[in-house]
Amino acid sequence: MMSGTTGSNDGIKSASGSNASNTTAQLAAPGGSALAFDLVTSFIPPSSVPRYLQEASSRANSGASAYTGTPQTSAQKPDKFDDKWYIDLSEKNDDICKAVDLSQIFDILGKDWSEAWDIASTTESLSESVDIQQILVDYRNACTAINEKLKVRKVSEPTYQAAFGALAMAVQNYVAAKPGLQQGLYWYDTHKTQIKRGDDRYRMPDGSFSTTNLPALEWSDIAVVVEIKNDDMASTAHHVRGQILQDFIDMTETLPRRFMIGLTLAQHGDICVYVCVPGGVYSAQLGSLHLAGKTKPSTDNANPTVDDQRVVAFLLLLQERLCKDSGHLTGKNMRLPVKFSFGDIPDTLTDGKSSDMLQSTTVCPELSEKDVAKGGIYGRHWHLRGQRTWVYPAQLKRKIADQPDEIDDVFFKFQWSFDGDGEIDVHRFVLERGVPHVPKLLHTAIIEGKAYGTHGPKFKGEAMVMEYVGKSVKSLFGNDTLCTPSKIIDIFAGYVHTLVAAAGIDINGRYALHRDISIGNLMVTEDGSPYIIDWGSARVCTEDENSRSPAKEIIGTGIYMGRRILAGCNLRSVIDDLESMFLVLVHYVWLTYGKMDTNYEYLWITTTFSLLKTMRVSWLGIQTNFILYMGVSETLPEALHALVESLYELLFPSTFFIGALDANSPDPRQKYFDVSKWLGAFDNAANIARKECNISMPNLEMLRGHVRTNSDHRISFIDEPSFPPQEVTDKENCSRNLSDDGFEELLSEGSEASFPETLTQHSSKKQLSDLTNHSGNKKHRV
């Protein structure tokens, strides 16, 4: 649902630039008092937005996007967790997995970790530590029953499982019994204990260190995960690394983390440590399991080596450090619902004007435990690459002297993203310009990030509290109050107003494009007020930008991408945003009025670019087939029929596809774009709808006022990366599964080979030929 990127290192920096003046704005919380914060910009009323730029190209994105993948990289979800899935997961994320020295692992975790390890890991400290020696004695005693199994040529996984469990418990019991040592972790042998995921499925990591001592373990409780194999597999093999990566994904399914730690034990008892941070996944050789190794144990070689002692020292350090900071957003273990303030988040650079006013935020009070268990958390946190977001319906509680606490319904959003590209910046930019139907920001904070690795990107966190703006436009489906043609027309008129107002060039030569319009980012309140959220993929552009983005993947939601974007065209404009909005509208129309057994359903479950492009041609290529293909002609209200046909004409004029897919050429539709014609399409549909139900349409009236005020409607373009056809393969996953946004579960696989077979199940060969063979057809548009 929501995504985004990050702001500057020294706090919150406006996207409006250095020429703007400083002002202080009072943004009122819904139904409550105002929260004050600095706005580093000058307010530009809508009347000062004089025109649309004919063409401009975009500033280069952060190099991080090329390093880790774009913010919109989709997260494929497996049918089952098997060996193939884990190997594929590891291989697909190979470019963000880096092998480093052990000292670098602690540098990544932070100064306190690094300094503590420097003291604990010296040869003298390891060999002279009474704690380590006693723990190893206790461990050897616990391994008496499996000592012979540890001596065999190839040690089995169950034997290593028992041995590591004995070591973990020896450390835990020693810490618990010795005064002065603080216990921060509890060992769970989970290789036979299923832990429930948000999709109602279960996984069983081989072992887990939890920050809580509760009988029922949740993924959010796990601070360190352990995967164990036998002597046939290296501890860095794709299979075991893939399991660790999936563990990291599951550990963040409900709550964001600043870091996660994993251990692998495999061939010869070698132990590797993995650390997952926003910049990637880093691994290092830690040491070896005592009583294991190439030289098998006997009475002559039972003395521990430095490698053995180092493992114990590491487990002791985990006990010490994780009781202070378990890697969760606030540093301490969190289960939903949870109360915390921005001041609880380590390394937070908050806005001083409002940080003292935010006493606590109760995350997800509106979600029941059942909702949370079923993945009721919105955002894109089901993958490890690039931008990751968590969004919760929440409550904002403010303490007021001598008065009851003031509580407002809000959205709380946290995201890890690239340094330099801030959603807070873009969101403020559109708010400050007076763009309508954009949620107010009530409180913001930036989490200071780091650069990990020599060539790693710098990541930061952004935390936002924004006004509550209802539910996804999908909530219109089946809603008798909002699902009337008049309401739909008015709501979508509001979305058009937002997009064209954001894309208008201001007096400083700046404008914004959303670039990720989807069913999850178009919101509507119970009274029918529309909002557009998720400005994290948006760009604030200037008319003199001329460099290309180095991003290697298309930004957006595949099934709602315009056809030029699917084809890899590198010039984007507000027309592409409007085309995405049109696709959301017709998706809504089909879900509400269409037939579910038509070919049209495959347009919304397709996951490959080539198949999606082919099907888009079949659907939009011939105007006479456009409505018929959707299977809604018998039930679609006349007003909505008129609206979708009018918008089709505006988006796909007969001249559009002459050179339209040249990746280096502007969109030819710029010559024809006129916002007043879009207003005319909505007016015509509204007049038809009023024959049956004459209700007010405030959003349509606001769009009308915008058109009157802004008479010159030319188009702003930004230069996006060019994607040659050979770079877009059938294997590339191009549509984000909407369950990432907490709204809809789509099928995850589709193949070009299966499409004609599926099509012929519902269509004759002649119909198939009409839809797919367009040579010589004068009405062909796509």
Side-chain angles (χ1 to χ4, degrees):
M1 168 175 137
M2 297 186 176
S3 70
T5 44
T6 29
S8 63
N9 219 5
D10 53 353
I12 302 172
K13 179 181 178 182
S14 169
S16 299
S18 57
N19 295 330
S21 60
N22 292 337
T23 63
T24 298
Q26 298 283 335
L27 296 186
S33 59
L35 289 174
F37 61 91
D38 289 335
L39 298 179
V40 190
T41 186
S42 57
F43 179 75
I44 303 170
S47 59
S48 300
V49 183
R51 61 189 177 88
Y52 288 80
L53 183 66
Q54 183 173 1
E55 179 181 346
S57 54
S58 72
R59 179 184 306 125
N61 281 334
S62 165
S65 57
Y67 178 77
T68 62
T70 71
Q72 309 311 319
T73 300
S74 299
Q76 184 180 359
K77 296 185 178 181
D79 294 327
K80 60 179 179 179
F81 296 104
D82 54 13
D83 294 354
K84 182 181 184 301
W85 167 253
Y86 294 127
I87 292 171
D88 287 347
L89 181 63
S90 178
E91 290 177 344
K92 288 177 181 178
N93 288 282
D94 192 61
D95 59 331
I96 64 168
C97 296
K98 306 295 180 183
V100 296
D101 294 333
L102 187 58
S103 61
Q104 290 178 280
I105 291 289
F106 292 96
D107 289 339
I108 290 169
L109 290 172
K111 181 180 178 182
D112 293 339
W113 284 83
S114 181
E115 291 178 349
W117 182 248
D118 286 345
I119 296 172
S121 63
T122 64
T123 303
E124 293 78 11
S125 298
L126 294 175
S127 60
E128 296 175 5
S129 171
V130 175
D131 296 338
I132 292 176
Q133 304 314 316
Q134 185 58 53
I135 288 171
L136 286 172
V137 169
D138 296 342
Y139 161 71
R140 284 198 297 269
N141 292 336
C143 287
T144 301
I146 60 170
N147 193 48
E148 293 302 319
K149 295 180 180 180
L150 286 167
K151 293 181 182 180
V152 300
R153 186 172 64 87
K154 288 189 176 181
V155 179
S156 67
E157 181 177 330
T159 301
Y160 277 146
Q161 181 86 33
F164 188 86
L167 179 60
M169 287 305 301
V171 173
Q172 179 175 316
N173 292 336
Y174 185 83
V175 170
K178 185 171 181 179
L181 295 182
Q182 187 173 359
Q183 183 172 0
L185 294 177
Y186 300 88
W187 167 251
Y188 285 77
D189 188 335
T190 51
H191 79 292
K192 292 184 179 180
T193 302
Q194 298 193 47
I195 306 175
K196 192 173 184 179
R197 304 174 72 249
D199 57 3
D200 285 338
R201 291 189 290 176
Y202 294 82
R203 288 188 64 248
M204 298 180 294
D206 290 321
S208 305
F209 288 98
S210 171
T211 54
T212 62
N213 190 18
L214 299 174
L217 193 63
E218 295 183 2
W219 281 103
S220 59
D221 299 327
I222 298 175
V224 182
V225 69
V226 182
E227 296 292 352
I228 300 172
K229 298 299 170 190
N230 58 30
D231 267 344
D232 289 328
M233 185 179 294
S235 59
T236 56
H238 278 302
H239 181 277
V240 67
R241 187 174 77 177
Q243 287 184 313
I244 285 287
L245 296 184
Q246 185 61 56
D247 293 335
F248 288 158
I249 293 171
D250 293 341
M251 289 166 71
T252 57
E253 68 174 347
T254 60
L255 292 165
R257 308 225 189 185
R258 290 174 295 106
F259 64 83
M260 290 170 286
I261 300 173
L263 295 172
T264 60
L265 166 61
Q267 198 172 60
H268 307 311
D270 290 341
I271 297 177
C272 279
V273 56
Y274 287 80
V275 171
C276 180
V277 290
V281 180
Y282 298 84
S283 63
Q285 190 70 30
L286 175 61
S288 59
L289 183 67
H290 185 44
L291 303 182
K294 294 181 180 179
T295 303
K296 297 305 174 183
S298 69
T299 55
D300 297 328
N301 64 4
N303 291 329
T305 66
V306 172
D307 284 347
D308 303 339
Q309 294 165 340
R310 191 183 303 114
V311 171
V312 179
F314 181 78
L315 295 180
L316 282 170
L317 184 62
L318 291 181
Q319 289 281 354
E320 173 194 343
R321 293 298 312 159
L322 291 177
C323 65
K324 302 173 183 177
D325 184 0
S326 60
H328 287 84
L329 184 60
T330 61
K332 297 180 180 180
N333 180 68
M334 300 162 63
R335 275 193 175 189
L336 293 175
V338 60
K339 295 182 180 180
F340 65 94
S341 68
F342 280 20
D344 295 330
I345 305 174
D347 303 319
T348 303
L349 302 173
T350 60
D351 186 334
K353 291 273 185 187
S354 57
S355 60
D356 57 341
M357 299 182 69
L358 184 63
Q359 298 299 321
S360 63
T361 300
T362 303
V363 178
C364 290
E366 299 178 7
L367 294 179
S368 66
E369 291 185 5
K370 183 178 180 181
D371 292 330
V372 173
K374 289 190 173 182
I377 312 305
Y378 306 147
R380 300 175 194 142
H381 45 84
W382 294 91
H383 55 90
L384 297 169
R385 308 176 64 90
Q387 181 184 57
R388 307 181 69 191
T389 63
W390 295 259
V391 184
Y392 313 92
Q395 287 187 331
L396 179 65
K397 179 187 292 184
R398 288 185 294 273
K399 294 186 181 297
I400 303 175
D402 301 325
Q403 296 183 32
D405 291 348
E406 190 172 88
I407 301 177
D408 297 315
D409 291 331
V410 296
F411 274 120
F412 173 79
K413 177 177 180 178
F414 179 81
Q415 64 187 10
W416 285 115
S417 49
F418 309 126
D419 186 24
D421 301 320
E423 176 171 358
I424 293 174
D425 295 344
V426 180
H427 198 131
R428 281 188 169 179
F429 175 79
V430 293
L431 282 176
E432 292 155 10
R433 297 184 58 198
V435 175
H437 314 307
V438 178
K440 295 184 181 71
L441 286 178
L442 307 180
H443 190 79
T444 59
I446 299 243
I447 315 303
E448 189 173 20
K450 296 181 179 180
Y452 303 112
T454 305
H455 303 290
K458 191 166 186 178
F459 271 66
K460 298 174 71 89
E462 286 186 298
M464 289 163 276
V465 175
M466 63 192 77
E467 67 173 312
Y468 184 80
V469 291
K471 299 179 180 180
S472 159
V473 70
K474 184 188 172 185
S475 64
L476 295 175
F477 308 162
N479 186 319
D480 294 337
T481 303
L482 295 179
C483 198
T484 65
S486 296
K487 284 288 189 180
I488 297 301
I489 292 166
D490 189 51
I491 288 168
F492 276 84
Y495 297 143
V496 171
H497 187 183
T498 302
L499 295 174
V500 296
I505 301 173
D506 63 22
I507 57 177
N508 294 318
R510 291 176 175 268
Y511 60 94
L513 301 179
H514 190 282
R515 305 196 304 173
D516 188 22
I517 295 299
S518 69
I519 202 167
N521 292 336
L522 300 181
M523 307 293 284
V524 61
T525 62
E526 292 183 359
D527 64 358
S529 299
Y531 286 90
I532 295 183
I533 62 171
D534 191 3
W535 294 85
S537 297
R539 292 288 311 283
V540 174
C541 311
T542 60
E543 51 188 317
D544 60 350
E545 292 177 342
N546 55 21
S547 61
R548 291 195 178 190
S549 166
K552 295 182 178 180
E553 300 175 52
I554 297 175
I555 291 178
T557 302
I559 58 176
Y560 300 116
M561 286 179 184
R563 190 165 173 263
R564 276 174 51 86
I565 306 307
L566 283 177
C569 295
N570 64 324
L571 289 170
R572 295 186 74 150
S573 77
V574 70
I575 294 179
D576 299 302
D577 283 346
L578 291 170
E579 186 174 344
S580 294
M581 186 216 69
F582 167 76
L583 292 171
V584 173
L585 172 61
V586 294
H587 190 189
Y588 153 78
V589 166
W590 172 69
L591 286 172
T592 307
Y593 302 102
K595 299 177 181 178
M596 296 301 170
D597 60 347
T598 62
N599 310 314
Y600 188 70
E601 65 181 305
Y602 293 95
L603 279 165
W604 312 111
I605 60 177
T606 302
T607 59
T608 63
F609 279 113
S610 59
L611 179 55
L612 190 55
K613 286 185 291 184
T614 299
M615 298 181 70
R616 198 72 67 77
V617 168
S618 300
W619 170 39
L620 297 174
I622 304 174
Q623 182 179 1
T624 55
N625 285 349
F626 166 57
I627 297 294
L628 291 175
Y629 195 85
M630 298 167 61
V632 297
S633 55
E634 297 178 359
T635 56
L636 182 63
E638 182 184 0
L640 294 182
H641 192 290
L643 179 61
V644 296
E645 281 204 326
S646 297
L647 297 186
Y648 175 93
E649 289 286 346
L650 290 171
L651 286 166
F652 310 113
S654 58
T655 55
F656 167 52
F657 293 102
I658 302 176
L661 300 184
D662 182 353
N664 296 307
S665 298
D667 190 334
R669 291 175 290 184
Q670 65 171 303
K671 299 178 182 179
Y672 307 97
F673 184 81
D674 186 343
V675 177
S676 64
K677 292 182 179 179
W678 282 73
L679 173 63
F682 279 90
D683 270 338
N684 178 55
N687 289 333
I688 297 174
R690 287 191 181 102
K691 295 177 182 178
E692 296 183 1
C693 181
N694 189 10
I695 65 172
S696 63
M697 297 188 184
N699 301 308
L700 181 57
E701 290 303 315
M702 289 177 64
L703 175 61
R704 192 186 324 281
H706 176 83
V707 172
R708 284 198 301 264
T709 305
N710 302 274
S711 59
D712 185 5
H713 296 285
R714 289 176 289 163
I715 298 301
S716 307
F717 279 88
I718 64 169
D719 192 3
E720 284 295 320
S722 178
F723 304 96
Q726 63 270 22
E727 292 186 12
V728 182
T729 65
D730 287 345
K731 295 181 180 180
E732 187 168 1
N733 183 1
C734 72
S735 79
R736 184 190 330 126
N737 189 311
L738 289 183
S739 65
D740 288 354
D741 293 337
F743 291 122
E744 182 173 17
E745 187 70 30
L746 300 178
L747 299 181
S748 60
E749 294 296 335
S751 65
E752 191 161 8
S754 66
F755 173 57
E757 295 179 10
T758 304
L759 190 62
T760 55
Q761 291 174 6
H762 307 290
S763 308
S764 67
K765 291 183 178 180
K766 181 179 183 303
Q767 289 173 315
L768 175 61
S769 175
D770 290 342
L771 290 174
T772 58
N773 183 10
H774 305 290
S775 58
N777 191 331
K778 294 182 180 180
K779 293 184 179 181
H780 174 226
R781 298 289 181 89
V782 180

